[in-house]
Amino acid sequence: MPAPSNSPDLRPDLRGALRGLDRRRFLTVSAAATALAFTTGLPRTGAFAAPAGSPTDITSDPFTLAVASGDPLPDSVLLWTRLAPLPLEPTGGMPPSRFDVRWEVARDATFKRVVRRGTAAAHTEFNHSVHAEVRGLDAATEYFYRFRVGQWISPVGRTRTAPAAGAAVSSLTFALASCQRYDQGYYTAYKHLAGEDVDAVFHLGDYLYEYAVNASAGARGYTEPLPTHLNHETVTLDDYRARYGLYKSDPDQIAAHLAHPFIVTWDDHETENNYAGDTPENSVPPEEFLVRRAAAYRAYWENQPLRLPQFTLPDRLNHHQ
């Protein structure tokens, strides 16, 4: 777990202060900006910790985004969910508290043969996402999993561990996915993928697009309008969180995650079109862009089946086009 941080929240005037700095100080300031944006609001301890919430505080289904699994190893898999009764809101509609979420892994979909169980914390600082690393599993084996908080039980997901190192493997079947702009059409391919027999899905990036999504969701032509806060480009952490809530609420995409473990990486649009490293697409101060990039990276980790070390090393989460 990252070390608790007592840093103050990121101030709105940070960008203005950074603009006045000359280029010679860029490397020092840009590193500080990235660290500040990425580590602001980590779970704290003692008197500063978010209070533990009661399950009765959750008054509607928090598993609207269902569940997902990823990063399969021969003896381990990562299980993910996010508590979000209102998935299109940046907060997910959750109270600002910490909740203990129970998880179970079984050999069968009815959970009569449970092999592992545990509890993971859903921190308000991490947008109530849950990343449970399950170890001690058998290689090349199918498992079923679910989460529970209070009276609420998640949908059941199916996952599979990787073959053992050095094992004689006659075949493996993978699916590839990428470039899924929400407002340019439906995810029918995911509906078909959910019914396929594959060992894992590789998602090659552009899981979301940063562009504005209007009230009718573009080509989807919704008659019930989407919230207006989605109708601008993603820049802040709240922007990216709400956009993941929209994308991950698609029922066909949910079905694909329920059926298969995902191995994910990103491309450019998870942050901004055509960025490269610390170079933005448009003419904005580079140090300002790094604050945006850090927010995008953080929201990506919160919303994908990724392990904890992939959150704690932001400098290594650097994407070059």
Side-chain angles (χ1 to χ4, degrees):
M1 178 65 67
S5 170
N6 290 324
S7 301
D9 290 339
L10 188 61
R11 302 300 182 187
D13 58 354
L14 173 62
R15 295 181 180 182
L18 292 177
R19 288 193 191 100
L21 297 168
D22 61 53
R23 188 70 180 180
R24 287 177 298 176
R25 298 176 61 194
F26 166 67
L27 291 178
T28 299
V29 174
S30 64
T34 301
L36 181 59
F38 208 92
T39 61
T40 293
L42 296 186
R44 301 177 180 184
T45 58
F48 296 99
S54 168
T56 59
D57 296 337
I58 306 174
T59 57
S60 58
D61 182 12
F63 294 112
T64 59
L65 303 178
V67 300
S69 69
D71 200 20
L73 299 176
D75 64 345
S76 174
V77 71
L78 190 287
L79 306 182
W80 174 93
T81 192
R82 182 160 73 83
L83 307 183
L86 300 174
L88 303 190
E89 296 299 319
T91 64
M94 287 289 292
S97 304
R98 182 188 75 255
F99 293 89
D100 289 332
V101 180
R102 289 175 288 167
W103 54 264
E104 293 179 302
V105 176
R107 294 277 189 159
D108 62 301
T110 61
F111 289 82
K112 293 180 180 178
R113 301 168 59 200
V114 174
V115 297
R116 292 287 184 276
R117 55 166 52 96
T119 302
H123 292 283
T124 184
E125 295 90 345
F126 291 151
N127 209 207
H128 292 102
S129 61
V130 177
H131 299 74
E133 296 191 39
V134 183
R135 303 183 184 277
L137 302 177
D138 294 333
T141 301
E142 179 183 72
Y143 291 99
F144 297 86
Y145 63 97
R146 65 186 177 186
F147 294 89
R148 183 194 304 260
V149 59
Q151 64 173 312
W152 308 102
I153 301 176
S154 75
V156 174
R158 170 192 170 275
T159 192
R160 188 172 182 84
T161 51
V169 178
S170 59
S171 67
L172 288 171
T173 304
F174 301 112
L176 303 180
S178 67
C179 302
Q180 51 187 50
R181 183 167 169 177
Y182 187 91
D183 57 334
Q184 289 192 343
Y186 285 94
Y187 292 166
T188 309
Y190 277 131
K191 180 178 181 179
H192 292 284
L193 174 58
E196 296 290 331
D197 183 16
V198 302
D199 293 290
V201 177
F202 284 86
H203 198 289
L204 306 181
D206 291 346
Y207 193 96
L208 60 69
Y209 280 68
E210 78 278 21
Y211 304 130
V213 179
N214 64 20
S216 63
R220 294 192 177 214
Y222 290 171
T223 56
E224 183 175 343
L226 292 175
T228 57
H229 62 255
L230 298 171
N231 196 14
H232 66 263
E233 186 165 324
T234 52
V235 176
T236 68
L237 182 57
D238 278 353
D239 292 339
Y240 287 106
R241 284 171 166 174
R243 194 62 54 86
Y244 277 107
L246 175 66
Y247 275 61
K248 294 186 76 68
S249 64
D250 180 272
D252 293 331
Q253 181 160 281
I254 284 175
H257 276 295
L258 288 174
H260 312 296
F262 272 56
I263 300 167
V264 300
T265 187
W266 65 65
D267 198 23
D268 54 345
H269 287 289
E270 284 88 350
T271 299
E272 179 187 53
N273 179 53
N274 285 341
Y275 88 96
D278 56 14
T279 303
E281 175 188 23
N282 300 306
S283 298
V284 299
E287 59 271 26
E288 180 178 322
F289 168 71
L290 289 179
V291 176
R292 175 183 182 177
R293 191 189 74 176
Y297 286 3
R298 177 167 177 156
Y300 183 85
W301 180 84
E302 290 174 347
N303 285 279
Q304 298 290 5
L306 293 167
R307 297 175 190 264
L308 183 61
Q310 293 160 310
F311 172 78
T312 58
L313 299 174
D315 288 340
R316 298 183 187 180
L317 298 180
N318 194 0
H319 181 72
H320 295 272
Q321 291 299 99

